[in-house]
Amino acid sequence: MDALITKLQEYENRYNEINDLMVSDDIINKPKEMAKLAKEQASIKQIVDAYQDLKNINNNLEQAHEMLKEHDEELKEMAKMELEELEPKKAQLLEHIQYLLIPKDPNDDHNVIMEIRGGAGGDEGNIFAGDLYRMYCKYAESKGWKVQVLEASESEAGGFSQIIFAIKGTDVYKELKFESGAHRVQRVPKTETQGRIHTSTATVLCQPEAEDEDIEIPMSDLTIETHRASGAGGQHINKTDSAVRIVHVPTGITVNCQEGRSQIENRETALRLIRSRVYEEMQRIKEEQEGKERRAKLGTGDRSEKIRTYNYPQNRVTDHRIGLTITQLDRIMEGKLDDIIAGLLAQEQKERLQEA
């Protein structure tokens, strides 16, 4: 208990220190620093509030124990009633505090940039990529999040060979971070004349969208080129150099944007993408150096990792990482992902608690 109180006191001291910093002259004139401190303070506010509640309960318990020493029987009875009420409250609060102290992913409150590509199965893989995009859009709509398409390459048969889109809202990355990987679909394609079930895949990459205070990339680290946007078969779809390719020289990370209406729009999108990809790469390197398993044990987030199977004939979806099977695939494809995401978050919490 002493170690817990010491830890909570450290959080309270830091919270108060941030309060002082945010009204200091040095920070007031630095918007990025101010935003960073505000974000840190918000992340520990629940812990500090819970600590205040714990201190109040401990004070009341101490008073109740003192009342038990009185000779007045009525006061003793009141003290017993107080103890019967406060002790379960304290136990419940301590359990809540333990949950709050579980190390959290610092990116949980970020928006995300998602990329879906058609994988194995040719046209059917591209069609399924489109189905997944629609599924995520439906889920985002149910959460009140906003979706913005950044890049899209439509497939002639339907769906997308590739689509990149941003989702903005509250705790978006927290809920979608485990969607990265290979999604496998088993169904009879529209083009199948014999009625045979085919297995196809689409891959999903979900990255936290880097904010200004997360990373600062010097323009000297970037090579920016313009070129003519081209469509299927390499045919030019316009006669101006509106497409933009950006290379982050230190890491070799490259993005190419051509779907925007102008070079300016494509440049902004490309800078947005390169910042998020470099940010995640920096995090990956940091985690490796610290010897941490990337994204706990739930998965690496690699495209090659098969994470989920969507079986249409049996109306079944299975998440292989947590062994969860739901026989309501039709609802899942309409964006009803709550049960799957809740299962993944519960497993993450369990693993983080064990680590803590």
Side-chain angles (χ1 to χ4, degrees):
M1 179 61 76
D2 289 343
L4 176 65
I5 296 298
T6 301
K7 187 73 175 172
L8 292 171
Q9 188 63 54
E10 287 174 3
Y11 275 107
E12 185 178 62
N13 291 343
R14 178 57 182 165
Y15 188 88
N16 293 333
E17 182 184 2
I18 292 172
N19 270 340
D20 293 337
L21 286 170
M22 290 177 73
V23 295
S24 68
D25 293 336
D26 289 342
I27 300 299
I28 286 175
N29 298 319
K30 297 177 182 176
K32 285 187 179 180
E33 286 293 320
M34 178 72 81
K36 194 173 181 180
L37 286 170
K39 188 175 178 181
E40 182 188 351
Q41 189 178 56
S43 71
I44 63 176
K45 186 177 188 303
Q46 277 189 296
I47 296 172
V48 175
D49 288 345
Y51 181 40
Q52 292 296 328
D53 292 341
L54 181 63
K55 286 196 285 188
N56 289 334
I57 287 177
N58 282 337
N59 287 335
N60 291 336
L61 281 169
E62 190 177 335
Q63 290 174 16
H65 281 295
E66 287 297 320
M67 286 170 63
L68 280 177
K69 298 175 185 176
E70 298 289 338
H71 297 295
D72 190 316
E73 291 300 322
E74 189 174 340
L75 282 177
K76 284 185 177 181
E77 189 62 32
M78 287 174 61
K80 287 177 184 177
M81 290 174 63
E82 187 83 357
L83 289 171
E84 286 175 3
E85 182 182 344
L86 289 172
E87 284 171 351
K89 274 187 178 180
K90 180 177 178 178
Q92 190 176 7
L93 181 58
L94 285 172
E95 187 177 336
H96 177 59
I97 287 172
Q98 280 191 319
Y99 165 74
L100 292 176
L101 289 176
I102 296 172
K104 291 180 175 59
D105 188 329
N107 292 319
D108 276 353
D109 62 348
H110 281 49
N111 298 321
V112 304
I113 291 177
M114 297 189 80
E115 179 180 346
I116 305 176
R117 292 183 189 174
D123 287 343
E124 176 62 10
N126 293 339
I127 291 170
F128 184 52
D131 293 339
L132 289 177
Y133 168 66
R134 179 178 178 274
M135 177 185 78
Y136 290 124
C137 286
K138 289 281 187 181
Y139 183 66
E141 184 182 348
S142 73
K143 304 289 290 187
W145 299 339
K146 293 182 179 179
V147 178
Q148 177 190 7
V149 175
L150 303 178
E151 282 283 300
S153 299
E154 294 186 12
S155 170
E156 290 182 9
F160 303 93
S161 59
Q162 179 190 46
I163 182 165
I164 303 173
F165 55 101
I167 304 181
K168 294 184 176 183
T170 303
D171 289 341
V172 183
Y173 186 70
K174 177 182 178 181
E175 299 203 21
L176 296 179
K177 61 184 168 184
F178 296 119
E179 294 304 299
S180 291
H183 294 240
R184 183 171 61 179
V185 61
Q186 295 172 329
R187 64 185 177 189
V188 179
K190 294 175 182 177
T191 54
E192 171 58 52
T193 57
Q194 304 295 319
R196 291 173 297 186
I197 296 173
H198 290 220
T199 298
S200 306
T201 63
T203 61
V204 175
L205 183 63
C206 180
Q207 297 176 310
E209 181 168 7
E211 298 172 1
D212 289 342
E213 63 268 21
D214 291 327
I215 186 171
E216 190 167 337
I217 302 176
M219 293 304 289
S220 58
D221 284 353
L222 302 177
T223 299
I224 303 176
E225 302 171 348
T226 59
H227 60 97
R228 289 186 181 180
S230 60
Q235 297 298 314
H236 293 305
I237 55 175
N238 64 34
K239 296 180 180 180
T240 61
D241 292 345
S242 63
V244 176
R245 182 185 295 110
I246 299 181
V247 179
H248 181 250
V249 177
T251 61
I253 293 172
T254 303
V255 299
N256 187 73
C257 293
Q258 64 175 35
E259 297 296 321
R261 295 178 181 177
S262 67
Q263 186 184 116
I264 293 173
E265 189 176 334
N266 285 325
R267 180 188 169 96
E268 288 176 354
T269 300
L271 285 170
R272 193 171 165 188
L273 290 174
I274 203 85
R275 188 169 68 240
S276 291
R277 291 182 184 176
V278 170
Y279 173 61
E280 191 179 54
E281 177 63 12
M282 295 297 102
Q283 284 195 310
R284 184 191 66 78
I285 293 170
K286 181 183 175 184
E287 288 173 0
E288 281 186 359
Q289 289 172 344
E290 293 174 354
K292 294 179 180 177
E293 289 187 55
R294 195 166 183 231
R295 296 205 183 111
K297 298 183 183 73
L298 272 171
T300 61
D302 292 337
R303 287 186 187 275
S304 58
E305 182 187 12
K306 289 185 176 65
I307 63 167
R308 198 173 296 150
T309 296
Y310 304 73
N311 185 301
Y312 276 73
Q314 297 179 19
N315 196 34
R316 184 185 71 219
V317 61
T318 299
D319 194 289
H320 304 295
R321 297 161 296 179
I322 55 175
L324 176 66
T325 296
I326 299 174
T327 52
Q328 293 180 323
L329 175 57
D330 51 344
R331 293 183 70 253
I332 297 297
M333 298 311 292
E334 287 298 316
K336 305 294 192 293
L337 291 168
D338 302 84
D339 290 341
I340 293 177
I341 289 171
L344 290 164
L345 289 174
Q347 182 64 24
E348 180 198 29
Q349 183 180 323
K350 181 181 175 183
E351 290 172 358
R352 287 187 181 275
L353 186 58
Q354 288 172 347
E355 289 171 8

